[in-house]
Amino acid sequence: MDAKPINKIFLFLLVFAGVAVYIAGLFPEVSIDAGKYAAVSRHIYESGDWLHLKIHGDPYMQKPHLLFWLSAASFHLFGMSMFAFKFPTLLFSVLGVYSTYRLAKNYYSPKVAFLAMIIYATSQMLFLYSNDLHTDALLTANVMFSIWQFSAFLKSGKLLNFILAFTGAGLAMITKGPIGLAIPAFAVGSHLIATRNWRQLLSPVWLAGIPILGVILFPVLKGNYDAFGWEGIEFFFWTNNAGRITGDYVGSNVDYFFYLHTMLYIFLPWSLFALGALWWQTRYLKFRKYPLKVRPEYYTYGTLIIYTVILSIARQKAPHYFFPMIPLLSVIVADFVNKVSTDPALKKWHRFLLATRTLIVVLMWVLLLLIMAFIFPSNNLFLWMVTALCFGFFIFSFRLFHGVPVLNLVIPMVVAAISLNMMINTHFFPEIYKYQGVIQASYRYNNLAEDNDRIYSFLTTQFEDYYYPKRVAEKLDSQVEADSVFNQLGGWVITTREGRDFLKERYRRNLVYEELFLHKKISKMNWKFLNPNTRHMALKEIFLLKIDSNSEISQIVGD
């Protein structure tokens, strides 16, 4: 994969553009789960209590502590902002990308390792969940670091690799529970069983990792025990992970092919390449007398098979649960692309991948233009100029790498992925968040309210009003609670149409401010909302009210 000077300059500009897109994703707002995580991080930052997680004043144990610790520490360094909330996870994701490279390099050529790194770094899932922050991004980074270090330990036997491997697994556990250890265990176990290394598999040396895990887990377990007793310990070790598989905790999705069709979009632009790689490998092994001896490693395939089966039979399913498999799939795809591009016997596969590449990049550019010209039409001349420049680079990449089969196959897809996500992070998400009613109501409260004005959340199911307002909202779950507050204190309130109608009927003479904000839950995006002609039919209502308990005059604004 030797490159001329101009090729190297192009690749450098491509890396720079990719980094810029990820940085741009640090600034858009977050909602739903990510909004909840921001609220928990804010509590740590403001209270100084790093052990006992809380949201709207109630103890919280749905996720372990690491993401919240990192974000709270970042708040202390940079101030409370979206950038500070997301930045630590992005740094860990960089470690995850590098770990993917090092794992691949341990068993494949530097060319394959480079491809694996590029494929993972430009996968849609990494772009998306570095912006709409989930614990799975942090989990994946730590899992990949752990697997890399375990693979290095099995090759070298060095103590440092052993310590770092269990440290990575421990950090993964305090991100999302025992699954953080289970995935590296699947990887190591698969490799040792497939290579028939029974001596290493059954070695008591693995027990030496337990004290490392114990030190890392202790503060998390103590915090859970202090708040919930033994239920908190049980939740960490069993309910939060195994309960999702059995359905005892939440969920009842019985679509056993959920992660197959989900992978088609979360692993864009590489998803069809992944299907081709898995199909080719299956047929290739079928005709080998000793199929397990044909691969240099089994960390990737072994973990992918075991973990995907578990996810597929689990009662609760979500796209982000598949995140830890994306870097492993990237290694598989990189090896496949390299083989197809260099082996004359696989020319038919190479032609298939070229046709697939063309189809995917055309669809990505069509999607980009559809968003900018129709879904959320942009009159930002600078954005259109950047898009035109990206398209120029895209066309130029075909000519520039025409003589390098691997790069000619991969680079146009990389340019298309970066271009699409540039538009998503700088245009699509900012437009989407204009329709997040709780966030917009919080911003209006910040502009209008006095510093000591209280704010309440009444009959809403969103978490954003525990992060975005300058004063954390106090939760009101019932009309009785609302009466107990507004009969005496007054204050601002973010509520639904139902809550607004109740408060307006009871406190009309005391209602001094009312404003409507249109709202669409970001996890419920559909074509009715994305189509500007029908968007109004998909929107719900969020209200910001101010009730003055001492007011004698009604001054309704925006009624």
Side-chain angles (χ1 to χ4, degrees):
M1 206 155 52
D2 295 332
K4 300 175 183 179
I6 189 172
N7 299 45
K8 292 181 179 179
I9 293 173
F10 187 94
L11 292 174
F12 172 79
L13 292 174
L14 206 55
V15 171
F16 178 81
V19 171
V21 170
Y22 275 106
I23 292 175
L26 298 177
F27 296 95
E29 291 91 344
V30 295
S31 63
I32 316 298
D33 285 347
K36 176 168 56 178
Y37 303 152
V40 177
S41 303
R42 175 179 179 173
H43 169 77
I44 295 175
Y45 169 64
E46 294 183 338
S47 69
D49 185 351
W50 294 76
L51 282 184
H52 309 107
L53 306 182
K54 288 187 178 181
I55 187 167
H56 52 64
D58 299 328
Y60 175 86
M61 69 171 175
Q62 290 182 13
K63 293 293 184 291
H65 292 50
L66 185 58
L67 184 146
F68 314 121
W69 283 344
L70 292 172
S71 295
S74 186
F75 288 162
H76 280 286
L77 287 174
F78 302 109
M80 205 171 71
S81 66
M82 276 295 102
F83 172 87
F85 173 57
K86 299 178 184 181
F87 184 59
T89 298
L90 180 60
L91 290 182
F92 270 80
S93 293
V94 172
L95 175 64
V97 171
Y98 180 69
S99 299
T100 303
Y101 169 79
R102 291 300 301 269
L103 174 66
K105 193 176 180 183
N106 276 347
Y107 295 94
Y108 302 92
S109 68
K111 183 192 298 186
V112 171
F114 173 79
L115 286 173
M117 177 175 64
I118 293 300
I119 289 169
Y120 177 40
T122 55
S123 63
Q124 191 57 40
M125 184 160 250
L126 189 60
F127 276 119
L128 176 61
Y129 290 121
S130 295
N131 184 332
D132 181 24
L133 207 59
H134 280 62
T135 55
D136 303 84
L138 194 56
L139 169 72
T140 301
N142 285 310
V143 160
M144 284 309 301
F145 176 75
S146 179
I147 295 175
W148 161 38
Q149 291 298 326
F150 274 125
S151 72
F153 168 71
L154 290 175
K155 276 197 161 189
S156 68
K158 292 182 179 179
L159 176 62
L160 178 61
N161 294 131
F162 182 87
I163 295 172
L164 291 177
F166 274 99
T167 299
L171 293 176
M173 290 183 74
I174 64 171
T175 301
K176 204 165 182 179
I179 196 67
L181 177 62
I183 296 174
F186 296 154
V188 173
S190 298
H191 183 74
L192 293 179
I193 291 172
T195 56
R196 301 182 182 181
N197 190 346
W198 311 114
R199 179 173 172 273
Q200 190 72 64
L201 179 68
L202 301 175
S203 172
V205 72
W206 302 116
L207 298 177
I210 295 177
I212 301 173
L213 297 178
V215 170
I216 296 172
L217 265 59
F218 176 75
V220 171
L221 297 178
K222 185 180 188 310
N224 278 16
Y225 182 79
D226 289 347
F228 301 98
W230 288 109
E231 180 187 352
I233 306 299
E234 180 186 5
F235 186 87
F236 178 87
F237 282 109
W238 180 258
T239 310
N240 192 32
N241 289 165
R244 298 176 192 272
I245 297 173
T246 62
D248 294 337
Y249 178 48
V250 65
S252 57
N253 188 330
V254 294
D255 179 3
Y256 297 119
F257 298 99
F258 177 85
Y259 291 101
L260 177 61
H261 54 74
T262 297
M263 190 268 288
L264 294 178
Y265 71 88
I266 62 177
F267 195 38
L268 282 173
W270 313 105
S271 47
L272 294 183
F273 280 26
L275 292 180
L278 296 172
W279 174 252
W280 175 81
Q281 187 67 45
T282 301
R283 290 183 58 82
Y284 181 67
L285 292 177
K286 181 179 179 180
F287 298 104
R288 307 292 295 194
K289 186 175 181 181
Y290 302 106
L292 291 182
K293 294 184 178 181
V294 301
R295 293 196 58 79
E297 55 82 23
Y298 294 91
Y299 299 98
T300 53
Y301 274 98
T303 311
L304 179 65
I305 293 170
I306 296 171
Y307 191 65
T308 303
V309 168
I310 293 173
L311 289 182
S312 297
I313 65 175
R315 304 293 290 181
Q316 184 183 19
K317 295 179 175 69
H320 51 273
Y321 292 172
F322 196 70
F323 202 157
M325 297 301 100
I326 296 301
L328 300 177
L329 264 178
S330 299
V331 176
I332 292 171
V333 171
D335 181 42
F336 176 60
V337 167
N338 182 60
K339 281 186 172 70
V340 165
S341 301
T342 56
D343 188 344
L346 298 175
K347 278 188 176 180
K348 288 184 178 179
W349 275 103
H350 189 252
R351 287 196 293 270
F352 168 76
L353 291 190
L354 284 173
T356 301
R357 176 207 64 185
T358 302
L359 172 65
I360 292 172
V361 295
V362 168
L363 291 176
M364 292 176 75
W365 279 104
V366 168
L367 177 60
L368 186 155
L369 293 175
L370 179 67
I371 293 172
M372 289 186 61
F374 178 71
I375 294 176
F376 293 115
S378 174
N379 57 5
N380 186 326
L381 181 60
F382 179 74
L383 183 61
W384 280 103
M385 290 174 60
V386 172
T387 302
L389 181 64
C390 290
F391 188 72
F393 271 82
F394 169 71
I395 297 299
F396 184 55
S397 68
F398 286 93
R399 179 182 179 88
L400 186 62
F401 297 103
H402 181 70
V404 188
V406 174
L407 293 182
N408 186 46
L409 187 60
V410 168
I411 295 301
M413 299 176 72
V414 171
V415 177
I418 291 174
S419 302
L420 176 61
N421 284 281
M422 174 276 298
M423 185 278 304
I424 289 175
N425 285 349
T426 61
H427 177 64
F428 181 73
F429 269 121
E431 289 295 322
I432 286 287
Y433 280 104
K434 291 179 181 178
Y435 295 94
Q436 297 303 295
V438 173
I439 296 176
Q440 299 306 320
S442 299
Y443 286 155
R444 188 59 53 87
Y445 159 81
N446 291 344
N447 290 333
L448 298 178
E450 300 292 336
D451 290 340
N452 60 347
D453 282 359
R454 303 166 79 98
I455 183 168
Y456 301 91
S457 168
F458 179 45
L459 301 185
T460 65
T461 58
Q462 308 300 310
F463 297 99
E464 294 88 332
D465 45 13
Y466 307 122
Y467 174 76
Y468 287 98
K470 58 186 176 183
R471 180 168 178 161
V472 176
E474 299 174 47
K475 185 180 180 184
L476 303 175
D477 286 323
S478 67
Q479 295 178 354
V480 173
E481 289 184 6
D483 276 337
S484 68
V485 168
F486 295 117
N487 276 331
Q488 303 176 29
L489 301 175
W492 297 81
V493 59
I494 296 175
T495 189
T496 59
R497 163 67 69 172
E498 178 188 354
R500 174 259 194 189
D501 290 346
F502 168 77
L503 293 172
K504 191 169 182 177
E505 179 182 355
R506 296 291 291 267
Y507 302 99
R508 173 175 292 275
R509 290 183 56 81
N510 303 89
L511 186 61
V512 297
Y513 188 87
E514 175 182 349
E515 186 171 357
L516 166 67
F517 298 89
L518 299 177
H519 178 76
K520 177 63 178 177
K521 196 172 183 179
I522 196 169
S523 61
K524 301 292 184 181
M525 294 292 129
N526 53 31
W527 181 245
K528 183 184 288 188
F529 170 77
L530 295 176
N531 183 350
N533 299 318
T534 58
R535 184 170 296 150
H536 65 282
M537 300 167 57
L539 297 172
K540 295 185 177 180
E541 298 174 326
I542 292 293
F543 290 86
L544 175 67
L545 312 174
K546 184 181 180 183
I547 298 174
D548 185 349
S549 60
N550 297 316
S551 176
E552 297 295 333
I553 302 174
S554 174
Q555 181 189 350
I556 309 300
V557 180
D559 189 9

